Amino acid sequence: MTQTLADPVPLQAEHRPAIEVRGLRMSYGARQVLCGVDFEVRTGEVFCLLGPNGAGKTTTVEILEGFRQRTGGSVRVLGLDPADQRSRLRERLGIVLQECGFPRQARVGELVNIWRAYYPAPRPLEELLSVVELTADRDCQVRRLSGGQRRRLDFALALAGDPDLVFLDEPTTGFDPESRRRCWAAIEKLRSLGKTIVLTTHYLDEAERLADRVAILQDGRVQTVGSVRQVARQAGVPTTISFTAPGPLRRGSVAPPGRLDVTVCGEVAVCRTANAAVALRELLAWAAEHDLGELDDLAVETPTLEDAYLRIVNGGAR
Ligand SMILES: Nc1ncnc2c1ncn2[C@@H]1O[C@H](COP(=O)(O)OP(=O)(O)OP(=O)(O)O)[C@@H](O)[C@H]1O
Ligand SMILES: [Mg+2]
């Protein structure tokens, strides 16, 4: 049975990485932007490249796509070197550029069909429009689309050739929350088909939601790479346990447990810890010992990707 983009079935993952980058260097004139970038993207994963403006995300992605010649280092994309095997790669890649222009008079369906004609085994038009939820807009001129709809059209074009590997450079920048969720759903559909996806974004909630692994690029290097949880642990951001401060703690007649970092701010007590299970046990024992009753509104908050990212780019983890 043929798999469709709209009705995903899992694909067998290949064993070799989809992308291998070793010691990648790139200079624009005298300015070195990438000074030895290393990472791998596994087949079938969503890999998210994060980093501040100007960190070199688009540069990296364009080198992987074969649009830019690197200054040094080794790169393999689906086993090929994009620097000199770009034509062999082309059919297997789907690309959404950070910015791109379209013939504005063309209609949505026409444009997708023009794109499909470039590929030997394109996905069906109806399916592409359905994945990006533009079926109702197929006769609409491109110039009449909203920014979010245009971005989803970019997405349909990237998928036209049924690529194995999809590059999405800031696919949801400028989207309203609903369009962003539609785009996320499309990315999740692709992933469930076994496609490999490389995504750049400045939206850390987007990365947290979609990415199997993230890499943070800064100062020309990958500062950290791993799953969101691994990155949060590597960044050393503490878990926060909060509860309503019992009266005796607020009044100072009972001291907080000595071995824990507990601060009281108004009605709320906050404990910051690297080991939530141990801290919780100690807090509950302390509350029982001092007859403080149950700790009301007890909540455990693990660090978000945003916490970890900010700490890493601000130098806290290095
Ligand atoms: N064609 C070019 N010629 C000269 N410098 C360039 C060129 N393209 C990018 N740069 C510079 O390289 C650096 C990295 O740019 P790049 O676009 O790769 O960053 P980015 O991480 O994608 O940033 P953003 O988050 O803003 O998209 C920037 O300082 C940029 O000014
Ligand atoms: Mg960019």
Side-chain angles (χ1 to χ4, degrees):
M1 201 176 80
T2 324
Q3 21 151 139
T4 71
L5 292 175
D7 300 311
V9 292
L11 267 187
Q12 282 279 303
E14 291 172 27
H15 291 298
R16 63 175 309 157
I19 298 177
E20 298 168 87
V21 176
R22 297 276 167 265
L24 174 61
R25 285 178 288 112
M26 180 69 187
S27 300
Y28 292 109
R31 176 138 188 268
Q32 193 166 21
V33 173
L34 306 176
C35 334
V37 167
D38 297 296
F39 64 88
E40 279 184 9
V41 178
R42 299 170 189 159
T43 298
E45 75 175 348
V46 178
F47 184 86
C48 188
L49 206 49
L50 303 172
N53 289 132
K57 302 179 295 298
T58 296
T59 298
T60 302
V61 164
E62 288 182 351
I63 289 169
L64 299 177
E65 292 164 346
F67 287 142
R68 270 187 201 288
Q69 291 292 329
R70 62 188 182 267
T71 312
S74 79
V75 173
R76 283 286 173 280
V77 177
L78 303 174
L80 301 171
D81 185 339
D84 50 23
Q85 292 171 297
R86 173 155 162 68
S87 54
R88 285 181 62 197
L89 261 182
R90 197 183 141 268
E91 280 172 16
R92 300 185 62 196
L93 303 186
I95 294 172
V96 174
L97 299 172
Q98 188 166 359
E99 281 171 40
C100 57
F102 287 139
R104 293 170 58 79
Q105 305 298 328
R107 294 180 194 279
V108 168
E110 262 169 28
L111 189 62
V112 176
N113 267 334
I114 291 170
W115 241 255
R116 291 176 63 249
Y118 283 110
Y119 295 95
R123 302 302 310 196
L125 172 66
E126 290 307 329
E127 184 191 273
L128 291 166
L129 294 177
S130 148
V131 165
V132 299
E133 298 187 35
L134 285 177
T135 303
D137 307 286
R138 69 181 287 167
D139 294 323
C140 182
Q141 282 187 323
V142 171
R143 68 193 173 100
R144 296 198 191 281
L145 296 178
S146 72
Q149 287 172 318
R150 233 171 278 168
R151 209 66 185 125
R152 279 189 273 131
L153 176 57
D154 287 345
F155 212 143
L157 299 181
L159 303 182
D162 193 17
D164 299 315
L165 174 57
V166 183
F167 290 99
L168 305 169
D169 196 355
E170 297 195 29
T172 66
T173 295
F175 278 21
D176 68 25
E178 201 200 336
S179 303
R180 171 162 298 142
R181 291 201 178 253
R182 284 189 180 152
C183 184
W184 291 357
I187 293 172
E188 280 165 348
K189 267 183 209 164
L190 286 183
R191 183 178 176 281
S192 66
L193 273 172
K195 310 278 182 196
T196 306
I197 297 158
V198 176
L199 171 76
T200 78
T201 184
H202 287 293
Y203 299 111
L204 297 169
D205 59 334
E206 179 166 300
E208 189 153 6
R209 157 87 182 249
L210 295 174
D212 295 295
R213 293 188 313 131
V214 302
I216 298 178
L217 190 62
Q218 191 188 22
D219 298 336
R221 290 200 165 78
V222 171
Q223 302 295 340
T224 185
V225 62
S227 68
V228 167
R229 285 294 119 220
Q230 285 167 340
V231 166
R233 268 199 301 278
Q234 282 165 30
V237 184
T239 295
T240 309
I241 303 172
S242 61
F243 50 95
T244 297
L249 178 64
R250 250 181 291 157
R251 289 190 295 276
S253 54
V254 167
R259 287 194 298 163
L260 295 180
D261 169 12
V262 177
T263 50
V264 179
C265 185
E267 290 206 326
V268 181
V270 176
C271 170
R272 289 186 179 78
T273 177
N275 190 332
V278 169
L280 268 177
R281 229 179 8 246
E282 291 199 14
L283 279 171
L284 294 173
W286 163 81
E289 183 188 333
H290 295 281
D291 214 8
L292 298 174
E294 302 205 330
L295 296 176
D296 290 335
D297 306 313
L298 185 67
V300 179
E301 224 177 288
T302 47
T304 62
L305 179 60
E306 183 167 355
D307 297 329
Y309 175 89
L310 290 174
R311 184 173 274 222
I312 288 166
V313 302
N314 291 325
R318 273 177 282 154

